Amino acid sequence: MRQDINTVQLGIVWQRLTGLMDEIAQTFVRTSFSVVVRENWDLAMSFMDADGRVFAQSSRSIPSFLGTMPRTLKAILERHPRETLEPGDVLISNDPWMGTGHLNDITMVRPIFRGGTLIAFVGSTFHTVDIGGAPNPFARDCYEEGLCIPALKIMRRGEENADVVAFITENLRESTETLGDLRAQFTAFEQAQKRLIKLLDDERIDDLRQITDQILDRSEQSMRAMLEAAPDGEFHDEVTADGYDLPLSIRCTVRKKGSDLTVDYAGTTGQIDKPINSVMNFTFAYSAYAIKCAFDPGSPNNDGSLRPLSILAPEGCLVNPTRPAPVWGRHLSGHYLPFAIFGALAQMIPERVAADSGSPIWNIYFKGNDKARRKFVKMFFMSGGYGARAASDGPACLSFPTNVANSPIEQFESQTPLIVTEKRLITDSGGAGRFRGGPGQRLSFRSTSDDPLTFVIRHERVKHPPRGFLGGLPGSAGVDMLNGERIAAKSVVAMKKGDVATFETPGGGGMYPPAERRLDAIRKDLVNGIVSLAAAERDYGLQADRLSLAAARNETKASKEPNS
C-alpha cells in the first residue's frame, strides 16, 4: 500500500469522493418513495471518518443537515460506543436535541469497516412528512409533536431490527412511504461501503486518515486565510420575527480577530411555549453555513472549515431551548440566523452578503382523505423571493438558507384532491435598490374533495417583511387567505369542497439605494411585469420618464402578439 499522498493524488481522491457521494445520494433519491425526497431533495448524505469528522458530502444537500450530522453521530456514539458496532449495523434517531432540531428529520449512520477495522461512517438525514402526532403550530411541548426515536440500531449485522421497524410503523399514517425512504438509504449505505473500499484499494491508500487529515487541514487553512483578509472588529444586528402574540428578537454579535470568528446570540428572546424554538444543533448549522457562504464559499465544506468558528447562544433562549420546548417549526427562528449574521457582516464585508430573502421557507401541510378515501398527509414547499446580492438582483422564488426545491404541481395534484389554480410571480414584491430583491409568488389551491380537508400553516414575514440592506428597500410581506379573506399565518384551517386557499410568499429585500439602479434594468423589470409603472415612479423617482417607460412596455407587448 502507498503511504505518501501528494497534491495531485489528493485532488484526484477528493474529486472521486465528491462524485461517490453524489452517486450515493442519487441512489437514495431514485429508490425513495416520498416526493419530499424525490423532488424536493430534503436530504443530505455525508462521509465521516472514524473520529466523526465530516470530510465529504453530496453536492445537493440541505445545509442544516450537513451541519448537524456529525453532532448527531457524536451523540449516537455516546450510547453505542464504537467497540459495540459491527459490520452491517445501522443506527437511527430523530431526537431533536441530538439531530436537526425537530422530529420530522430522521438521521441514520452506518459504520464502514475495512478488514475488521472501523475506518469511517456514512450518514444521511431526510425529512419525513408524517412522524405521528398532530402537526400543530400551537404545540406546547415536544411531546405533542410526534414520535421521538432514541438512538437505536434499526439494522443489526445487515438484518432489520423488527422491533424498531414495528414501533415506527404503528405510529405513522403513511408508514409505507416513510419506511420506503428508510430502506432506500440501506441500499445507498451498502453502495457507499463498497465504493469507498474500492476507491482506497484503487488508490493504494492504507489509512483513510492520510486523506481526511489533509482535506480538513487545507479547508481550515483556506477559511483562516479568508478571515485574516477581513477587518477585525465587533459588529451587531437584530432581526425581528413575527412570532405569535408578540414579536421575537434575534440579536447577533459577530466578533472577529485575526483568523478566529465568534457569533454570539446573547440578548435573544427566551424560548417560548410555541413550536418555533431552534435547538443548538440547528442554530450552529445555519450560523456556520452563513459564515461559510460569506467568507469562503469555494473550498470544500467540512469539519476543517468550521474550526475557526465559535457559535454561542444562552441556554434557554429562542435559539438554544431546553427540553421539552416545542420545536416542530424550528426553521421559523433558525432560518433568520443567516440574515442576522449578514446584517452584522454588511458592516464589515458588504460585498459578500445578500439582503433578507423571503425566508423562513413557506410550506403547507394538507391532510384528509385522498381520492380513494385513504388518509394522506402531504407537504407543499413554496419559496419567497431571494434577497438582492451585492452585485446582482435576487432570483425569484429560490429558497435560502435551505435549498429545498419547489414542489412540482402535477405530482402534488396526482396525490391529493386539490387543484393548483394559480401560480405566478407577484408584481412589485421585490424590494427596490441598485439591485432588486427577487419577487415572491402567489399560489392558489382548490379543494375537489367530497370530504373536509385540513391544512396547517406556520408562516413568517407576514408582519415584518424581508429587510433591504445598505439603503435597499424591504420586500413585500407575505399573505395567507381562504376564499379571499385573510387568515392567521400560523393556524389550522378546514377546507370544504370548492374552497380556495391562496398564499403570497414574501419578496426579497433590495441592496443599495434605489436611485443607483440603472435605467435599462428598470425598463426590463417594467416590461417583464416585475415592477409596475406606479412602483417605478414611487421607488425610483422616474415620473419624468413615464412616457418612455410606458412606450417600452407597449412595444414589447406588441412584439409578442401574433400577427393579425
Side-chain angles (χ1 to χ4, degrees), residues 31 84 103 144 150 292 323 348 370 385 442 539 561:
T31 56
T84 67
L103 295 168
E144 296 184 34
K292 188 74 168 63
R323 198 187 294 266
M348 180 204 298
D370 64 15
R442 177 183 169 103
D539 297 334
E561 293 176 350

Side-chain angles (χ1 to χ4, degrees), residues 138-448:
F138 303 101
R140 294 162 296 178
D141 58 41
C142 63
Y143 301 117
E144 296 184 34
E145 297 180 318
L147 173 68
C148 183
I149 307 169
L152 299 171
K153 287 186 180 181
I154 192 170
M155 293 191 78
R156 291 186 177 133
R157 298 182 294 279
E159 298 293 332
E160 281 191 13
N161 184 337
D163 292 335
V164 174
V165 173
F167 81 68
I168 292 175
T169 302
E170 293 304 317
N171 278 277
L172 304 184
R173 300 171 185 85
E174 295 195 58
S175 60
T176 300
E177 186 172 281
T178 300
L179 291 175
D181 285 352
L182 288 173
R183 288 167 175 146
Q185 289 166 94
F186 299 159
T187 302
F189 289 168
E190 183 66 23
Q191 182 184 32
Q193 163 98 21
K194 294 177 180 178
R195 295 299 175 86
L196 180 61
I197 299 303
K198 183 178 186 302
L199 187 157
L200 296 176
D201 290 344
D202 288 349
E203 299 294 335
R204 292 186 294 153
I205 296 170
D206 184 38
D207 186 354
L208 182 60
R209 281 190 177 86
Q210 293 175 274
I211 296 297
T212 58
D213 285 348
Q214 286 202 53
I215 290 173
L216 301 181
D217 289 347
R218 287 171 184 249
S219 294
E220 178 184 5
Q221 292 164 13
S222 178
M223 175 62 87
R224 289 195 181 279
M226 294 297 186
L227 288 169
E228 283 277 10
D232 287 345
E234 183 170 294
F235 308 91
H236 306 272
D237 192 39
E238 183 173 353
V239 176
T240 301
D242 294 347
Y244 284 76
D245 299 327
L246 298 172
L248 306 172
S249 175
I250 299 173
R251 294 183 182 175
C252 173
T253 298
V254 175
R255 303 185 190 95
K256 190 252 155 190
K257 183 176 181 181
S259 66
D260 292 304
L261 186 143
T262 298
V263 176
D264 190 346
Y265 294 107
T268 294
T269 299
Q271 68 185 65
I272 65 172
D273 63 347
K274 302 291 191 301
I276 195 173
N277 303 286
S278 170
V279 305
M280 192 61 197
N281 274 7
F282 197 74
T283 293
F284 175 88
Y286 270 126
S287 300
Y289 177 61
I291 297 300
K292 188 74 168 63
C293 289
F295 285 95
D296 190 22
S299 70
N301 184 34
N302 54 45
D303 182 82
S305 60
L306 304 181
R307 292 173 183 170
L309 310 183
S310 297
I311 313 298
L312 307 175
E315 187 174 23
C317 78
L318 184 68
V319 296
N320 186 13
T322 58
R323 198 187 294 266
V327 291
W328 178 50
R330 87 287 195 231
H331 68 287
L332 299 182
S333 53
H335 281 185
Y336 278 109
L337 302 179
F339 304 112
I341 291 172
F342 286 170
L345 293 181
Q347 306 159 50
M348 180 204 298
I349 47 171
E351 72 282 1
R352 298 186 191 172
V353 300
D356 284 3
S357 295
S359 305
I361 192 169
W362 280 34
N363 54 30
I364 321 158
Y365 278 79
F366 289 99
K367 61 179 180 176
N369 295 327
D370 64 15
K371 298 169 186 176
R373 295 292 177 92
R374 295 171 301 199
K375 291 188 180 300
F376 77 90
V377 180
K378 298 295 179 186
M379 184 168 60
F380 192 96
F381 284 107
M382 46 187 183
S383 301
Y386 202 104
R389 283 76 62 87
S392 61
D393 293 343
C397 310
L398 184 65
S399 59
F400 184 86
T402 186
N403 59 350
V404 296
N406 286 304
S407 297
I409 290 173
E410 295 82 4
Q411 196 156 37
F412 176 79
E413 289 179 334
S414 72
Q415 295 181 326
T416 66
L418 290 147
I419 299 295
V420 179
T421 60
E422 178 183 26
K423 179 179 171 70
R424 64 176 176 85
L425 298 181
I426 304 172
T427 301
D428 297 334
S429 55
R434 183 200 305 172
F435 300 108
R436 171 188 44 73
Q441 59 181 317
R442 177 183 169 103
L443 291 107
S444 294
F445 301 80
R446 177 168 55 84
S447 172
T448 62

Side-chain angles (χ1 to χ4, degrees), residues 44-83:
M45 301 203 77
S46 291
F47 272 137
M48 293 164 281
D49 67 11
D51 295 322
R53 305 176 301 176
V54 172
F55 64 90
Q57 63 190 38
S58 56
S59 301
R60 192 174 175 184
S61 287
I62 300 297
S64 62
F65 296 173
L66 294 171
T68 59
M69 203 178 299
R71 299 164 77 91
T72 305
L73 174 59
K74 180 180 179 181
I76 286 175
L77 291 176
E78 289 176 358
R79 298 189 181 184
H80 299 272
R82 290 172 178 81
E83 60 270 19

